[in-house]
Structures are given as structure tokens and as C-alpha cells.
Amino acid sequence: MPHPSPAAALNRAEGRPSGTYRVQVRPEFPLSATAELTDYLADLGVSHLYTAPLLTAAPGSEHGYDVVDHRSVSPALGGADGLRNLSDSLKSAGLGLVVDIVPNHAGVGVAAVNPTWWDVLKNGQKSEFSDFYDIDWSRGRILLPVLGQGADELDKLRVEDGELRYYDKRFPIAEGTGSEGTPREIHDRQHYELADWTRGDSELNYRRFFSITDLAGLRVEDPAVFDATHAEILRWYAEGMVDGIRVDHPDGLRDPGGYFDRLRAAAPDAWIVVEKILEPGEEMPAWPVGGTTGYDSLAEVCGVFVDPSTEAFFDTLQHHLTGGERSWQDQVHEAKLHVATTLLAAELARMARLVPEIEAAPKALAELAACFPVYRSYLPFGSRHLAKARSEAGRRRPQLIGVLDQLTSRLRNPADELAMRFQQFTGAVMAKGVEDTSFYRWTRFTARNEVGNDPAKFGVSPDEFHDATEQRGREWPEAMTSLSTHDTKRSEDVRARLAVLAEVPGDWTEVVRRWVRIAPLPDPALAHLIWQAAVGAWPISRERLQAYAVKSAREAATGTTWYQPDEKFETRLREMVDKIYDDPALQREVAGFAESITPPGWSNSLGQKVVQLTMPGVPDVYQGSELWDFSLVDPDNRRPVDFAARRELLARIDDGWLPGADDSGAAKLLVTSRTLRLRRQRPELFTSYRPVWAEGRCGEHALAFDRGGVVTVATRLPVGLSRHGGWGDTALSLDGHSWTEVFTNTSYGGNRLAVAELLRTYPVALLVKEQ
């Protein structure tokens, strides 16, 4: 297919992109390499490239979320010339650009490369940038937890080139403080205090991103800070190089609503989406943005391909494996309370200092955060979540009811400093307690352990899916939709294959109970997680599965942790994984089981892909996922992508090859490219939403909807369908027009289409009303 004309790219006056493609631009895949993809992306059918952050980040950064200098494009990515050349390449191919930005925090782990942080460390509160960062100056000196453990670590300091040095770390010396004394004495006169790294979580006096001390919170609520940190990005927008902005982690901001008002005023025609993670059923404030980045749609799309009727089987299996019956809610509460009082103890203490008259404030604030049902409120919006947290906290800790009432009277007030900081706190507690802990501990059915989803909700019914999708079309038609991101816990195709387990619960129970005996692990819940990862991503190399297992164990923090790795436990863990590869009989069994669920997994993959690409919203394709991609959590999902293979397969498809559903993944490339092209070329077909119900004995196995001239049809629960002997008399009633099926280029007429005929070649179809 020829490239679209440059006019086909997003005209800002015309609205949103038709589809985006996320590329993890990084030093090993810089802007120049990204520019070489433009013809492929145009052929694929997207309207916009969507990149990882591009500003100058910490040395060696593989992701760009640790910006150290907001004034320039990262030299490691290609600098200003690299961005200009990329922009020219995109425009020549008729494509636009969406960039990821990070307003919440900056990288401070390498102080010497961050000029604003360096100046703050050197000059303290007299620095012109002292208000740049969210620092609690009441402590006096900025705590920098960078030293090893031991009483003599400060004696290892040295003065070199007018700086304090600790091994390879560099720190400034304030004017007039470095001429006399030992390095330790000079250190004691600085505006910062170098401390044992273990003191950070309890004593840090600057806001950070979650529990990462190398990422310091910015005060973008200050117009001067906003201007300084956004000038370069807004210049790209003003010069026409950027059409859209993805905003990272808005929940860390002091005033997200005010921030989005300011950003919209500065970029009035930009497509703006926000990384806001909504809990199921939660609504987003009416910010002047296109919508979220799609974790909510991900949860709904993946859930509708899960058989909800087998939940009890997995409850029984979990009980058998772990010996416990802990609910998801109790697991989350325990993990969040632990995070609030340990990893984020410094932030908790900072809030408690705002209510010195309440002795039990730390306990009560931590309990409220642990009971908070969503990431955060945006007062006055979301005050009902605080009321719910207060009720649950009182139920769990009745002895704190009086203190809880005292605190909530202040936490309801949008202007109260305590309320503002509490809102920032609860988001971090949720992220660390749920995404980074509970998802690795409560492992009943990990296809649903995903960002933005509630794992206790086993599946999504077609009615629930249609209701949620209709609502999105009404309220947030310009929101992004996604199935895989750089932050998902497993790729869309791993989840699609794992969804098959819900259709074969007896088979899964039989094999996993045998496997845990053959290759035992002291933590049975973690073992269940790893066995699911193994069959979900098979064939997977020993090295990848080992890395995933160790990361999962440290995130779960039951047998080992990031801070204090338990070598004995991790040795047992590695031995368990090794057994999969070293025991020929076990390897054959794992491979055989994975092979048995792979074809229905392919059906689910194609189904959820065509649904995501055609549902209301702007679909994003994560790099490489246009073919089968069986990646696990980062860094596994950031491995290099073989774009040459994708180009070759797409060219063959364009030459008339109709691929089968096989290991090549070309069928997914066919579905992705044809659907994206249709959305780009004929947006008028995607302006409404109406469920379409199949009639007949297997009607519940068809998920279908009409977008206003194009009808999407996907197979759900393919194992159950095969048990019924196929579609039989199942049919779709349409409006009597003639239709063309996009993937096979087949014409259909009449007002009743037999699903068996429609889905003869692929388990999905895309019907376009003939003109």
C-alpha cells in the first residue's frame, strides 16, 4: 500500500490520531533508528509515532523517565538534530508525533549532570532552584542516602577538583566551606547530608517518585517551574514537530487539574492523554484531556475473553497450593499498610508533622491509605473515596475511630496541606502495594493480575463489556486504548494464552499440582505465578524465565527482597526454574501443555486485538506486538524488536498472501495492519457504537459490535466453542446491506450472516458496509 500524503497526518483542527505506535526510543535505538521506521509505520496504518521521553536523562538511562535537563533533547538519543530529522521523516510519510513527558519528577541520582539539583545541593535554600523541588527544608539539610553501611563511610570521602567525591559519586562544595578541615568536616558544612542508603525510606526530606530516591519530585504547580520544565517540549509543539502529549504519572502532582489546565492553555490543539490508572468503575475528573492511556480498556478487553464460570476451580486450586484462603482485599490491605509504614515512612512522617497534636496520626493516616479504594482523589472530586476509606479503616481499627474522624475532617478540605499531601501519598501506596507487591503474591489466575484491573474480578461478561465501551465512547472518545505497554506485567499475547486456562481448569489443576511436587519451592503462591508465566510465554529461554522469577520473588518480598536478597531462597528458586530445562520429562510436559493451549490462545489474541483496534478511542500498538509477542514484565518487554522481519511479512501480505494462524504471527499483522489502515482512511465508519448479538446455540461465543458502518466480530471462549462442535446455526443479523470482510476481502449479502462461514478463515472478522 502506498504511503498516505502528508495531508493524511493529523490536522490539528481536525482532531485526534487514528492510531499510534509506541517505540521505546533509547540509546541503543536512538532517534535515527526510529526515523528509519517511518515508512513501515505508514504502511502498517498508524497515523502517529508515540515515543518514550526524549529529554536529556541520566547517563545510561534505558527508559528516559529520569530527566536531568529539561532544556534539551537527549544527546544519547541524537539531540536536537535527531528530533528534527525524525520530524521531517514523519512528515514526509504523512505521520505525526506523540511524545511522553514526565512532569512529576527529575533524575537526581547523578547530581553532577542535573544542573538545577546540583545548584540546590551547593547553595541550599539560597539557590535560585530551591523551590524547583518538593523539599522539606525544616530538617535543615537535604538527606542523600547514598553511603554504604558502616560508621566509617564518611571517612571515605575525598576532595577532588573542588568537589566532594565518594567513590564515583560527585557532590558540590558550597562557597567558603571547602578550604579547611578533613573531607568529613567539609561535608558537615554542606547543605546536604550524605547518609547510609538504608535511611532513605524513613528519613528522606524530599518527595520522590514512589520509593525511588534517585527521582525527586518537582513542584510543577509553581508556574515558574512549569515554564522551565516544559519550555522545550512546548517549543516542539509550537514548531509543529509534536502533535500529541502523553503525561506520565499525574497522580504524583500536587494539583493535577491545575496542571492540565495550564498544559492545555499552552498546547490548545494537542491531543493529550494521561497515564491515569482507574480502578474498575472509577471515573476520571473532567480534565481538558483526551482521556487515559488505556489501562481501563485493557482490563475490559482482556476480561471478556475469560470464562467467568470457572472461578471456583481456581479458588480451590489456590487453596490447595497455598493452604490459605486470603481474599484479594485482605492481601492488598496488608501490602499497602506495609508500604505506607516502611517504604514510604518518610512521606508518612512528613504528613504527621502537619498534625503534631494527634499522637496516633501516623497509624491512622497509614490505615486510611491502606483502605483507600482507588489511587487517589482530586478534591473535591472523589471525596466519596475518602468516606469509603474512613469507613473501612474504622471497621479494621475501631480503636482509631476518634483519630480517623479528626483526620478526615481535614483530609476533606482541598486547601489543607495535609489533604494535598495525603492525595499524593495514596497513589504511591497503591502503586507499590498492589502493582509491585500484591500482583506477585496473590496468584490465583494471573491473566487478570494487570495494571488497572482488579484480579478478584475473574472475567467480564459481554454485557459488562458493551456497557463500559458505550460509556467510553460517550465520555472519552479520544482516550487511548491499549493491550500492552512498557509497564504491563505481561504482554497481551501471554494474557490471551493464559485466558485459555479458564476454559481448561481441570487440566491446569492436574499438571500444576504435579509440577509443584516435581520442582518444589517454599513459596507456593510464587511457584504458581512462575508456572503460569512459563506456559504463557513458552517457548521461553532459561535466562528470561530465571530473570522473571527472581524479579517476581523480590517484588513479592516474601522469601527475598530487593533490599536484602536471600541467597538461600533465590538458589532454591533458580533450581526450580532449572528443573524445567534440565529434566527432560518435565520439559516435555510443560512444552506439551503450552502447545495444547497455544491455538486457542492465538484465537484470543486476534480477538482482543481486533476489538481493541476498533472500539471507541485511539488504539495504540506497543512496539513489536503486531506479531505474537510473548514478553513478560520489564525489562523483558523492552527487548529489541526485529523490524526487518515485520517489514518482510507485511510486504508479503500486501502482495496477496493470506497467512494462517501459526507461529509466525503474520495473521496478527494482517489483522493489525488492515484495521489500522481502515481507521486512518475511513474515520467516518467509527463514529458510534452498538452491540450486535449473535443468535443460535453458540451465540455467547461471538463478541460483535457496529461502529457505524463497520462491524467487528470476534470469537470468545474458543475451547468451549469446539466442545459444542463449532458455530452450527449461529448467525448475525445485520441491516440487509452488502458487506465486505476486510481480512479475506470476501463479500457477503443479505441480512443474516452465518458465523461459521464468516469465521471460516480466521476467528475474527471486520465487515465494512459496501457503498
Side-chain angles (χ1 to χ4, degrees), residues 214-281:
D214 286 351
L215 298 174
L218 293 164
R219 296 184 61 255
V220 291
E221 65 273 12
D222 182 331
V225 178
F226 177 93
D227 292 343
T229 54
H230 288 67
E232 177 69 0
I233 295 159
L234 293 173
R235 181 180 68 80
W236 304 341
Y237 167 79
E239 294 181 6
M241 290 191 288
V242 165
D243 306 292
I245 297 171
R246 182 262 197 192
V247 179
D248 181 69
H249 191 51
D251 281 354
L253 304 180
R254 182 180 178 89
D255 178 16
Y259 171 81
F260 289 123
D261 286 341
R262 189 172 289 117
L263 183 61
R264 174 56 71 198
D269 299 316
W271 180 61
I272 300 174
V273 288
V274 302
E275 190 209 20
K276 170 58 194 166
I277 301 169
L278 298 168
E279 289 298 287

Side-chain angles (χ1 to χ4, degrees), residues 450-500:
E450 195 51 85
V451 180
N453 186 51
D454 178 355
K457 184 168 179 54
F458 194 77
V460 174
S461 72
D463 282 340
E464 290 172 322
F465 173 81
H466 288 307
D467 287 346
T469 306
E470 286 183 283
Q471 182 177 2
R472 180 177 295 102
R474 289 192 308 271
E475 298 178 1
W476 298 101
E478 296 188 7
M480 180 182 282
T481 67
S482 58
L483 290 180
S484 297
T485 78
H486 60 285
D487 280 336
T488 44
K489 300 302 180 184
R490 50 197 58 79
S491 72
E492 60 201 66
D493 295 323
V494 171
R495 286 194 304 272
R497 188 189 288 177
L498 290 177
V500 181

Side-chain angles (χ1 to χ4, degrees), residues 558-572:
T558 49
T560 186
T561 69
W562 290 109
Y563 284 170
Q564 294 180 312
D566 186 313
E567 187 54 41
K568 183 178 179 181
F569 180 89
E570 292 188 5
T571 296
R572 294 281 302 275

Side-chain angles (χ1 to χ4, degrees), residues 492-564:
E492 60 201 66
D493 295 323
V494 171
R495 286 194 304 272
R497 188 189 288 177
L498 290 177
V500 181
L501 299 183
E503 295 200 78
V504 291
D507 296 346
W508 177 243
T509 297
E510 179 184 347
V511 297
V512 80
R513 287 177 65 175
R514 182 163 59 251
W515 295 345
V516 298
R517 291 194 300 270
I518 296 171
L521 188 70
D523 184 341
L526 178 66
H528 196 201
L529 173 79
I530 294 167
W531 287 116
Q532 290 176 80
V535 299
W538 197 268
I540 181 173
S541 71
R542 183 194 306 253
E543 293 73 23
R544 287 177 57 207
L545 191 56
Q546 287 280 20
Y548 175 76
V550 171
K551 173 169 182 170
S552 298
R554 292 179 179 177
E555 295 283 48
T558 49
T560 186
T561 69
W562 290 109
Y563 284 170
Q564 294 180 312

